[in-house]
Amino acid sequence: MPERTTQIADSADSADSVGSTDSVGSARGADGAAGVGSGALARAGRALAGLSAACHPLPAVAVTLFSSVLAVAAGHGPPGVALVAGAVATGQLSVGWCNDRTDLRRDLATGRRDKPLVAGTASPAAVAWAAAHALLLCVPLSLAVGALAGAVHLVGVAAAWGYNLRLKATVVSWAPYALAFGLLPAFVTLGLPGGPWPPPWLMAAAALLGAGAHFANVLPDIDDDLATGVAGLPQRLGARRSAALAGLLVLGSAAALVASPPGRVTAYGWGLLGATATALLLASRRPAGRLPFRTVMAVAGADVILLVAELRP
């Protein structure tokens, strides 16, 4: 009897030991799975952050927001505003990603560690994939606003891609910016019932703003561009003259918006002209930094406020 009792106790101890080992193994397996899962999430988060930085988020968000506000002011309902915003957003994303992917070789040569592709936070294949799919989404979203409106918007997007792929290194580097910006008001209004074109002064003001944005955006990179064979018009003119021309173009855009519509110039209009001139003068003193381009974006925002009143049905 004592021997039988001892055998039973030994068996119980052995079973407890096996169960304990299984529990530890299960716990380790669960921890390992959790670690793999958290690692995958971390990698996905870094990849998304890299893609977000590579799309040129400031101009992408700004242009999408401005277009959406214009769509509201022009009389689009919520579905129309959503379509305009979606089309412009996907178009801007495709252009931004295309730009960074196209510039990779030059950015590597000049050590642009601020670029996600150079820093390694985004892969060339992922950026190219994102650019292509954003462009594919842009096509049906644009055409859903209206056939003519969509065609006009896609011409602007094509111009921006043309800039990235070839025209940025030519004397007409400013033309895609002018065309793409100039067509944006038409994209908004052509999608309305009856498909009205915007007034010519509005398209001209938008085109001037786009050309000015080009000159301001290139200023910090002129030396690197020249070193890698990019000789657009701003690079040929040099930083000082390009900064001055950017200011004149943006000021001309504001003047067209203020003076062209019928009726008296409002107090806001005069204030916009004065503030634009002052801001551009201050920004031109630091042409090598990002301040001139950010100033242009701020002026564009102020212009949109004026356009809200001009476009309101």
Side-chain angles (χ1 to χ4, degrees), residues 21-45:
T21 301
D22 289 345
S23 298
V24 171
S26 298
R28 288 176 178 171
D31 289 343
V36 171
S38 62
L41 286 174
R43 287 192 296 273

Side-chain angles (χ1 to χ4, degrees), residues 33-59:
V36 171
S38 62
L41 286 174
R43 287 192 296 273
R46 287 193 295 269
L48 286 174
L51 282 175
S52 298
C55 75
H56 297 216
L58 174 60

Side-chain angles (χ1 to χ4, degrees), residues 6 58 106 108 150 158 170 200 238 240 252 260 272-273 304:
T6 302
L58 174 60
R106 289 188 290 266
L108 285 169
T170 71
R240 190 170 298 279
S260 298
L272 175 62
L273 278 178
V304 168

Side-chain angles (χ1 to χ4, degrees), residues 127-231:
V127 170
W129 184 93
H133 283 74
L135 183 61
L136 288 175
L137 280 173
C138 180
V139 174
L141 287 171
S142 298
L143 295 175
V145 177
L148 181 56
V152 164
H153 183 242
L154 292 174
V155 167
V157 174
W161 273 69
Y163 170 83
N164 289 337
L165 298 174
R166 179 70 183 93
L167 295 176
K168 71 184 302 177
T170 71
V171 73
V172 293
S173 59
W174 55 272
Y177 273 78
L179 179 62
F181 273 72
L183 290 176
L184 263 181
F187 173 52
V188 171
T189 61
L190 288 171
L192 293 169
W197 283 87
W201 57 263
L202 177 53
M203 296 180 69
L208 288 170
L209 180 65
H214 167 55
F215 283 92
N217 189 39
V218 170
L219 288 174
D221 304 323
I222 283 181
D223 290 339
D224 287 346
D225 287 341
L226 290 173
T228 54
V230 176

Side-chain angles (χ1 to χ4, degrees), residues 5 27 74 101 124 212 222 226 252 307:
T5 304
R101 180 62 185 89
I222 283 181
L226 290 173
L307 285 176

